[in-house]
Amino acid sequence: MNRFARAFWLNSPGHGELREVTVPEPAAGEVLVRTLYSGVSRGTETLVFRGGVPESQHTVMRAPFQDGDFPGPVKYGYLNVGVVEQGPDTLTGRTVFCLYPHQSHYVVPVNAVVPVPERVPAKRAVLAGTVETAVNALWDAAPLIGDRIAVVGGGMVGCSVAALLARFPGVRLQLVDTDPARAATAKALGVDFAAPEDALGDCDLVVHASADERGLTRALGLLAAEGTVLELSWYGDRLVTLPLGEAFHSRRLTVRSSQVGALSPARRASRGYADRLALALDLLADPSLDALITGESTFEELPEVMPRLATGEIPALCHRIRYA
């Protein structure tokens, strides 16, 4: 017997609504999940809301359980925490994370959900997808003990990377951002903070996540000779200008991309996607990561809240959505 649920759909760039959708009975090997919380990642998800996904990336940027196509109508999202209401005995009643859009109930294959450890509150578990991005980035970056590191861009991804790097022994670490309000977030994460003009140079590694070419230019300027910028920003359909003249070649600098859609080559032979997500959930046992959740609204308010998140009227890292 089918049941009904409600889902958030982007009708056209800048305009969303809640729609009634049909949810089937779970078949063998599937689970029915009732959503407790979902999260809005202010970077990628608000870019999608504004219609900023270039046509060449429509396939690459699809979320795992996306319905519709860019620029819309489309059901998009990937930070969902819920309770399994029907499924195998080993999962029924368990709190799980799934890369599912904003929807009150849904049915997915068993292997699409990952149980949330008991020591991780469901409210915090919405960060799992972003912490997973940070895990993959650090597998790519391979920082070493004693490295001098800066994270440029104190958004949701940048702060997640900084939070994990804060656990590395012996590193000199700064979170760099133009917004002085990010200093409080950095303090909660146990990380030093600096404005771009005050950031310490001679870095072995700079992780860039500001999604602004000025941030990427500053990241290059912070490197020591033969240092590396790991680029995590996604610019959508914007062109980026970068100073690759001057001392870029003589100092043998590197700009390297990292993207969560593929497992890092450093761990591809020994880890799968489920392993990476399970690790991210385990790392969320750290209560300092609550600092990355900067607001909460009800599911019913989402059509009015999303435009305000996209314009920056509501400043946010991760904005949590609460379901009845």
Side-chain angles (χ1 to χ4, degrees):
M1 183 180 73
N2 291 337
R3 71 187 68 214
F4 295 103
R6 288 195 297 165
F8 177 74
W9 277 77
L10 171 64
N11 293 330
S12 60
H15 303 280
E17 68 175 3
L18 298 183
R19 296 184 183 180
E20 191 173 83
V21 296
T22 301
V23 178
E25 281 290 305
E30 293 182 330
V31 289
L32 169 69
V33 180
R34 173 174 55 85
T35 302
L36 299 173
Y37 301 97
S38 60
V40 179
S41 172
R42 190 170 176 269
T44 302
E45 197 165 344
T46 58
L47 188 147
V48 169
F49 187 77
R50 295 192 298 268
V53 181
E55 188 173 351
S56 64
Q57 298 299 299
H58 281 189
T59 300
V60 175
M61 284 302 299
R62 287 190 68 86
F65 295 100
Q66 172 180 323
D67 279 340
D69 298 297
F70 302 119
V74 63
K75 183 177 74 176
Y76 188 85
Y78 46 84
L79 302 174
N80 190 298
V81 176
V83 173
V84 175
E85 292 196 327
Q86 288 181 240
D89 291 342
T90 54
L91 285 173
T92 301
R94 294 288 303 273
T95 301
V96 295
F97 178 86
C98 184
L99 296 167
Y100 205 87
H102 308 281
Q103 185 166 311
S104 60
H105 291 78
Y106 55 91
V107 170
V108 293
V110 166
N111 61 9
V113 299
V114 178
V116 175
E118 290 186 4
R119 61 187 179 282
V120 177
K123 288 184 175 184
R124 191 185 306 149
V126 294
L127 297 170
T130 307
V131 173
E132 182 185 15
T133 299
V135 168
N136 205 61
L138 294 182
W139 282 350
D140 279 333
L144 301 176
I145 292 176
D147 271 358
R148 296 160 295 184
I149 304 173
V151 177
V152 176
M156 191 174 170
V157 171
C159 284
S160 296
V161 172
L164 299 190
L165 282 170
R167 308 174 185 203
F168 276 65
V171 300
R172 188 196 78 187
L173 174 63
Q174 282 190 319
L175 179 65
V176 181
D177 199 278
T178 57
D179 184 358
R182 290 287 178 261
T185 306
K187 183 178 181 180
L189 297 174
V191 177
D192 188 27
F193 176 83
E197 62 273 16
D198 299 324
L200 298 174
D202 292 324
C203 291
D204 305 292
L205 169 67
V206 179
V207 179
H208 179 244
S210 79
D212 190 306
E213 65 181 49
R214 293 169 296 181
L216 182 52
T217 298
R218 184 62 181 131
L220 281 171
L222 294 176
L223 287 176
E226 301 191 345
T228 296
V229 170
L230 188 77
E231 176 60 281
L232 290 180
S233 300
W234 191 64
Y235 300 91
D237 54 5
R238 287 180 292 148
L239 295 177
V240 175
T241 301
L242 190 62
L244 299 183
E246 303 178 1
F248 179 78
H249 288 86
S250 63
R251 299 181 68 223
R252 298 177 60 82
L253 304 181
T254 298
V255 179
R256 181 182 180 187
S257 67
S258 178
Q259 208 272 341
V260 72
L263 287 165
S264 168
R267 292 292 179 270
R268 197 170 294 163
S270 59
R271 303 288 196 281
Y273 289 98
D275 298 316
R276 188 178 65 183
L277 184 53
L279 173 59
L281 281 163
D282 191 58
L283 291 168
L284 280 166
D286 183 351
S288 71
L289 290 164
D290 284 332
L292 304 187
I293 299 171
T294 51
E296 183 176 284
S297 302
T298 66
F299 180 50
E300 290 73 18
E301 295 171 313
L302 187 53
E304 290 73 43
V305 166
M306 190 68 84
R308 298 170 64 198
L309 289 169
T311 62
E313 180 185 345
I314 299 177
L317 293 174
C318 177
H319 193 85
R320 186 168 56 209
I321 304 302
R322 183 179 72 253
Y323 291 70

